[in-house]
Amino acid sequence: MQNSYFSLSQSSKSGLPSQPTQQRGAVFSTILLIVIIVAMVLLTLYLIKLDRTITSKFEGKRWDIPAKVYSQPLELYQGATVDNNAIKTWLELLNYRSNKAYDSTGTYHKSGNTYFIHTRGFTYSANDVEAEQVIKMTIANNKIASVQSTVPAENGIIRLEPVSIGGIYPDSNEDRQVVSLDEVPQPLIDALIATEDRGFYEHKGVSIRGIARAVLNNFSGGSMQGGSTITQQLIKNFYLNSDRTLKRKANEAMMAVLLELHYSKDEILQTYLNEIYLGQNGNRSINGFGLAAKFYFNQPLNELRLDQQALLVGMAKGPSIYNPRRHPNDSKARRDTVLANMLAVGSINQEQFDSAIEQPLDIADKPVEGKSQFPDFLDIVKRELNEVYYPDDLKNEGLIIISTLDPIAQLAADKAIDKKLGELRRGSSKAKNLEGALVSANPETGELVAVVGSGSEFTGFNRAVDAKRQVGSLLKPIIYMTALESGRYNLASPVDDSPVTVNLGDGSQWNPKNYNNRDHGYVPLTTALAQSYNQSAVRLGMEFGVDTFARQLQRLGVQEKIPTYPSALLGSVNLSPMDMLGVYQVFATGGFRTPIHSIRTVIDDRGRILQRTGLNTQRSIPPQTNYLTNYALQQVVKTGTAKRAQSLGSSLNLAGKTGTTNDYRDAWFAGYSGNYVSVVWVGRDDNKPIGLSGGTGALPVWIDYMSRLKLTPVAQAEPEGIEWLWLENNSGKLSNERCADARYLPVLSAYLPEEASSCALSLYQQERFGIDSEQDAMMEQRQREGLAIPDGETMDTDEPDNTDADTWYNRAIEWF
């Protein structure tokens, strides 16, 4: 009994602690379970958050796409004025390559005067797509003699694609050209898969095999591949950062799996191809293979050779380390590694490999996607866009802007400014710091075709629009236009160029002088303008009033407030070259004002046209008045201060006006042919004298620029209300071609002269007397022979003359 009791007691003691232990275990298990559940809930919530992060950006707006600005296209059609130099320049700007086979886009072959061009095509809008095609074109006598294409042109016009002139970039400073997967060459995709992620099409975002291989390679010293998949690299670039932490790596792995659950391999690959960072262009990053192709090779992605595609793929590992411009040897070695990877997986054969590794790098010296080579024009485009669009839309929405820039004209302007300003700077110490501006437009459309407004480096100060300088004699044509429009003057009327004194409102006096300090007395109106006499301009301007002068300028499109003091008549008005371009555009088009503009169309990223600039033309000057003014401006070139412009060809009938300000601080010339209206300013930014006049400073630049273009003559249609008469020069009276001072000039029909010169009257009377005597003799002969005298004739010379005065005057006008 004792033994059993003892055993029982011992058993009871040993079993006492088992219950609390079990309870503690249960509590611990419960807590652990709760922790696990909470962790799973938190993990689930975190995964949901990550999932939303992934889908919101992937399905939304993935990138801020910069707006891209292009020139106008080159229109090719039979009869178009295009020469070999223009075609050559355009192809060079587009980076077309000479190739006898011309079997791929971006290639051409020239045989004599015949071109075979394999175009790249261009999308101008969703409904206006110029397809890739082969063009056969023959040029003769600076015109297109014939043009054929593999793609029919409904209107007979084929467009060679526009030239890229720059972009408007997002605040992130990321630059990219988004390409679709079918635009990416298959060898590039093969190179990427072989080098970065050979199991891309098998794994689900994370490759355990790849991670293990990376670890093994690190231990063994090899570095053929990294452990991250393409999907993980996309996650890192697209959503995360490059921090080397476990948290970032864990997020990367989870997000990669989630991304692959939602989207196809093709969608992921296409996004990677457009996201990957491949270098730096100043303060802008080069993202995506589409833009990298242009940045490093000046060619579209689909025109790259196999070795060039491999080089870009190799740069994905380290754009700085393998930058071909800075580290060509490292870049080439990395390229060859990529080619070896392709050979190893069977993407290329041995012959392709051997050929590719022998190729030079062929990196472009100056990338087309670098600094804009036409920054002044691009600046004006941006200013015009900012008047209509929000800045964020311009920076982020991938707009395509087709501008009015003509690259041929722009290059001509650049060369003219560089050449002639260089000569002028070397010619005088006063001109050492000389600057210039040039603006040029198509007068009929108002399309700006060329702008030079800054020095070698664009600083944001564009003299073409920002430099408000006194314009001098450029405004004198407005004075003479007003006089002609009034009917008080015609082109042969005398104007007084004797000394003049103008009483000013403050009691002082103004005594303007001619530049040569000589007085010329009465001179013909055309001479006063052609020789740019100041005294005659002031006298004539004051006759009609400074207020009238200011209203005329506003009528011509000048928006600046014009001061109403007399010196404004001689150009003491601060205006820009662009302002003066608008004024002379009116003169060049028969009196029609079309606002100068730099944009043709704006297209959004879906190909929809947001803006199309149409002709907004308004009548500014009566056509008869403009016709006379144009004639007077042509005399400036034929016989006046711009006579040097005759070197361009007397048959062009050029028109224009020189301008010089006080102390020779500013030199101007504004003028036009039939197809270009152009303004040149030359001066110093500090407004110090330059010792040059409009004829010696600005005109040489203008001539050099226009000489590089294909000009058409000024041939304005004669409007109704104009009659051509012989007038006596410097009196404006009717004359006869046999008189010494007679000039055959256009006159307003509403204001025909009522007086005739003494020479013309004498000739008229002699001729009329001879006719009357002959008629009297004939009548006497008929009377002697008993013949009837015709109706309306009479022999009674004693009867008063019943001829109506108006009838007599009209007959006299016809005679004169």
Side-chain angles (χ1 to χ4, degrees):
M1 289 291 293
Q2 289 179 349
N3 289 338
S4 76
Y5 175 77
F6 179 79
S7 299
L8 179 62
S9 298
Q10 290 292 93
S11 175
S12 298
K13 289 180 181 180
S14 63
L16 286 175
S18 65
Q19 186 174 358
T21 300
Q22 291 175 355
Q23 289 177 347
R24 284 196 299 272
V27 170
F28 178 77
S29 299
T30 302
I31 293 172
L32 181 61
L33 180 61
I34 291 172
V35 170
I36 292 173
I37 292 172
V38 171
M40 291 181 67
V41 170
L42 292 175
L43 179 61
T44 302
L45 292 174
Y46 189 65
L47 289 173
I48 292 173
K49 178 185 176 182
L50 292 179
D51 189 73
R52 287 179 177 174
T53 301
I54 289 170
T55 55
S56 62
K57 185 170 183 178
F58 210 85
E59 295 177 2
K61 185 181 173 209
R62 299 182 186 177
W63 300 289
D64 290 334
I65 308 298
K68 295 293 186 180
V69 184
Y70 294 87
S71 73
Q72 58 177 273
L74 180 61
E75 294 187 341
L76 307 174
Y77 54 90
Q78 189 168 346
T81 304
V82 177
D83 61 12
N84 284 309
N85 288 333
I87 295 295
K88 178 184 177 183
T89 299
W90 206 286
L91 293 173
E92 287 175 350
L93 288 170
L94 291 172
N95 293 291
Y96 272 54
R97 306 173 309 284
S98 178
N99 181 351
K100 287 186 177 181
Y102 55 90
D103 53 357
S104 60
T105 59
T107 59
Y108 74 96
H109 174 60
K110 182 177 183 291
S111 177
N113 287 324
T114 299
Y115 286 85
F116 299 87
I117 306 172
H118 195 150
T119 71
R120 297 180 178 126
F122 193 85
T123 299
Y124 297 92
S125 72
N127 299 318
D128 185 9
V129 178
E130 194 83 9
E132 168 196 340
Q133 57 194 294
V134 175
I135 301 169
K136 179 183 178 183
M137 177 179 60
T138 300
I139 295 177
N141 299 320
N142 295 326
K143 290 184 180 293
I144 297 179
S146 65
V147 60
Q148 300 168 291
S149 174
T150 55
V151 176
E154 294 182 3
N155 57 3
I157 299 176
I158 302 167
R159 290 170 294 187
L160 198 55
E161 62 261 33
V163 175
S164 174
I165 64 173
I168 303 171
Y169 301 98
D171 294 333
S172 63
N173 281 327
E174 289 187 0
D175 193 8
R176 59 171 46 81
Q177 178 185 333
V178 177
V179 294
S180 59
L181 198 59
D182 58 5
E183 294 176 311
V184 180
Q186 188 59 45
L188 188 146
I189 296 174
D190 294 340
L192 185 65
I193 299 299
T195 303
E196 295 295 328
D197 187 1
R198 294 183 184 179
F200 175 70
Y201 288 105
E202 287 76 38
H203 63 67
K204 298 300 181 183
V206 178
S207 173
I208 303 300
R209 183 185 303 171
I211 294 172
R213 184 170 55 250
V215 172
L216 181 62
N217 285 341
N218 286 335
F219 280 110
S220 62
S223 57
M224 285 289 290
Q225 292 178 298
S228 296
T229 64
I230 284 177
T231 311
Q232 286 177 276
Q233 292 180 46
L234 175 60
I235 291 293
K236 181 182 70 175
N237 294 328
F238 207 48
Y239 299 98
L240 304 175
N241 52 46
S242 299
D243 293 343
R244 294 178 177 273
T245 62
L246 288 175
K247 179 182 177 182
R248 203 272 297 164
K249 291 297 291 183
N251 282 336
E252 178 185 297
M254 288 186 290
M255 294 175 78
V257 174
L258 290 171
L259 190 68
E260 296 251 2
L261 289 174
H262 283 291
Y263 306 105
S264 69
K265 291 289 187 180
D266 283 352
E267 289 177 293
I268 293 170
L269 183 60
Q270 178 173 297
T271 306
Y272 176 89
L273 291 167
N274 288 299
E275 172 62 22
I276 185 69
Y277 170 70
L278 290 171
Q280 200 71 22
N281 179 15
N283 65 341
R284 297 195 305 271
S285 63
I286 301 298
N287 293 80
F289 287 96
L291 184 63
K294 291 187 175 180
F295 182 66
Y296 292 108
F297 300 108
N298 280 348
Q299 291 175 262
L301 188 59
N302 63 350
E303 294 180 10
L304 299 188
R305 303 188 306 259
L306 171 63
D307 60 286
Q308 293 170 325
Q309 296 172 34
L311 184 144
L312 294 182
V313 169
M315 290 181 66
K317 184 178 181 180
S320 298
I321 299 172
Y322 301 112
N323 184 325
R325 291 193 175 98
R326 295 183 179 180
H327 310 291
N329 294 332
D330 293 338
S331 178
K332 185 178 185 301
R334 178 62 181 167
R335 180 201 71 177
D336 294 347
T337 297
V338 172
L339 291 168
N341 290 337
M342 296 180 72
L343 179 64
V345 299
S347 297
I348 58 174
N349 57 36
Q350 188 66 46
E351 182 180 355
Q352 291 172 308
F353 173 79
D354 293 339
S355 174
I357 63 172
E358 292 300 320
Q359 293 288 348
L361 293 182
D362 282 342
I363 301 299
D365 294 330
K366 295 181 179 180
V368 293
E369 295 298 325
K371 288 183 179 180
S372 172
Q373 58 181 324
F374 310 128
D376 301 325
F377 195 98
L378 183 61
D379 174 60
I380 291 177
V381 171
K382 291 178 180 178
R383 296 182 192 218
E384 192 172 328
L385 288 168
N386 285 329
E387 295 176 0
V388 180
Y389 300 94
Y390 292 111
D392 286 346
D393 292 338
L394 296 175
K395 295 176 181 178
N396 307 328
E397 297 301 324
L399 301 180
I400 298 295
I401 295 100
I402 306 298
S403 75
T404 60
L405 175 80
D406 178 353
I408 304 300
Q410 181 63 60
L411 291 174
D414 291 336
K415 292 174 183 176
I417 287 284
D418 288 344
K419 178 183 176 182
K420 289 301 177 180
L421 282 192
E423 293 176 2
L424 293 171
R425 287 167 182 157
R426 292 189 295 271
S428 168
S429 59
K430 289 184 177 180
K432 183 179 180 180
N433 296 318
L434 199 65
E435 298 292 349
L438 185 156
V439 287
S440 184
N442 180 322
E444 294 298 330
T445 64
E447 290 189 339
L448 192 66
V449 297
V451 175
V452 179
S454 65
S456 57
E457 289 292 328
F458 183 72
T459 62
F461 183 76
N462 190 339
R463 295 177 184 85
V465 289
D466 295 326
K468 301 288 185 178
R469 304 291 291 247
Q470 291 192 6
V471 295
S473 301
L474 290 194
L475 300 185
K476 285 178 182 174
I478 288 90
I479 298 172
Y480 293 94
M481 178 192 77
T482 304
L484 293 168
E485 186 176 15
S486 72
R488 300 183 208 169
Y489 293 82
N490 60 42
L491 292 169
S493 294
V495 293
D496 188 0
D497 190 55
S498 60
V500 58
T501 298
V502 179
N503 295 317
L504 303 178
D506 60 1
S508 61
Q509 293 182 329
W510 179 48
N511 299 287
K513 300 294 182 182
N514 289 327
Y515 281 107
N516 58 7
N517 288 316
R518 294 176 57 188
D519 309 321
H520 304 92
Y522 281 95
V523 294
L525 183 146
T526 52
T527 300
L529 178 61
Q531 301 301 329
S532 201
Y533 295 153
N534 287 340
Q535 294 172 164
S536 56
V538 171
R539 284 184 177 276
L540 203 57
M542 293 302 296
E543 179 180 337
F544 294 94
V546 181
D547 289 340
T548 300
F549 174 77
R551 286 195 298 271
Q552 292 283 54
L553 274 174
Q554 292 172 350
R555 183 181 176 191
L556 289 164
V558 174
Q559 297 179 352
E560 298 285 336
K561 186 177 180 180
I562 306 301
T564 55
Y565 41 76
S567 61
L569 298 169
L570 295 184
S572 61
V573 178
N574 292 326
L575 296 172
S576 70
M578 193 69 74
D579 293 328
M580 295 313 304
L581 183 68
V583 171
Y584 278 78
Q585 180 271 332
V586 178
F587 293 146
T589 56
F592 289 98
R593 180 162 65 90
T594 303
I596 304 297
H597 58 281
S598 63
I599 297 172
R600 282 189 174 181
T601 53
V602 178
I603 306 102
D604 70 8
D605 58 347
R606 298 183 182 179
R608 297 174 299 186
I609 295 177
L610 302 181
Q611 174 185 332
R612 177 181 278 127
T613 304
L615 288 180
N616 181 22
T617 302
Q618 297 178 340
R619 166 64 69 186
S620 184
I621 304 173
Q624 301 86 355
T625 301
N626 194 86
Y627 191 77
L628 301 185
T629 306
N630 173 71
Y631 183 92
L633 288 170
Q634 288 175 320
Q635 304 315 300
V636 178
V637 176
K638 287 184 178 179
T639 62
T641 57
K643 192 174 181 179
R644 292 173 64 180
Q646 285 285 86
S647 62
L648 294 171
S650 58
S651 62
L652 290 172
N653 298 320
L654 301 173
K657 184 69 186 73
T658 54
T660 310
T661 61
N662 287 339
D663 299 323
Y664 295 91
R665 298 177 188 273
D666 301 272
W668 292 84
F669 186 76
Y672 51 91
S673 65
N675 54 344
Y676 292 97
V677 54
S678 310
V679 176
V680 172
W681 166 83
V682 169
R684 287 175 53 152
D685 290 336
D686 58 11
N687 202 30
K688 290 183 178 180
I690 58 175
L692 298 168
S693 67
T696 59
L699 182 59
V701 179
W702 191 91
I703 293 172
D704 188 278
Y705 166 65
M706 298 290 270
S707 70
R708 299 173 187 271
L709 306 174
K710 300 301 177 185
L711 305 180
T712 61
V714 175
Q716 295 186 10
E718 182 179 315
E720 293 184 4
I722 290 290
E723 295 187 35
W724 285 78
L725 298 174
W726 287 98
L727 302 179
E728 183 179 52
N729 209 23
N730 209 16
S731 78
K733 296 178 181 180
L734 293 168
S735 188
N736 183 273
E737 61 182 314
R738 287 176 284 173
C739 293
D741 293 327
R743 291 182 61 191
Y744 197 55
L745 297 169
V747 184
L748 297 178
S749 299
Y751 300 104
L752 298 179
E754 297 182 356
E755 297 182 60
S757 68
S758 56
C759 170
L761 278 174
S762 176
L763 291 173
Y764 178 71
Q765 289 171 354
Q766 290 175 19
E767 188 167 323
R768 293 304 302 170
F769 178 78
I771 293 173
D772 291 342
S773 299
E774 184 178 345
Q775 288 179 343
D776 290 345
M778 289 176 61
M779 293 304 103
E780 289 176 1
Q781 179 66 27
R782 293 178 69 87
Q783 191 175 39
R784 284 195 298 268
E785 295 177 1
L787 300 175
I789 297 174
D791 292 341
E793 301 290 347
T794 177
M795 286 295 296
D796 188 2
T797 57
D798 294 331
E799 292 294 324
D801 187 2
N802 293 322
T803 303
D804 183 88
D806 288 340
T807 304
W808 180 91
Y809 180 72
N810 290 336
R811 288 178 180 174
I813 286 292
E814 291 177 5
W815 185 86
F816 286 111

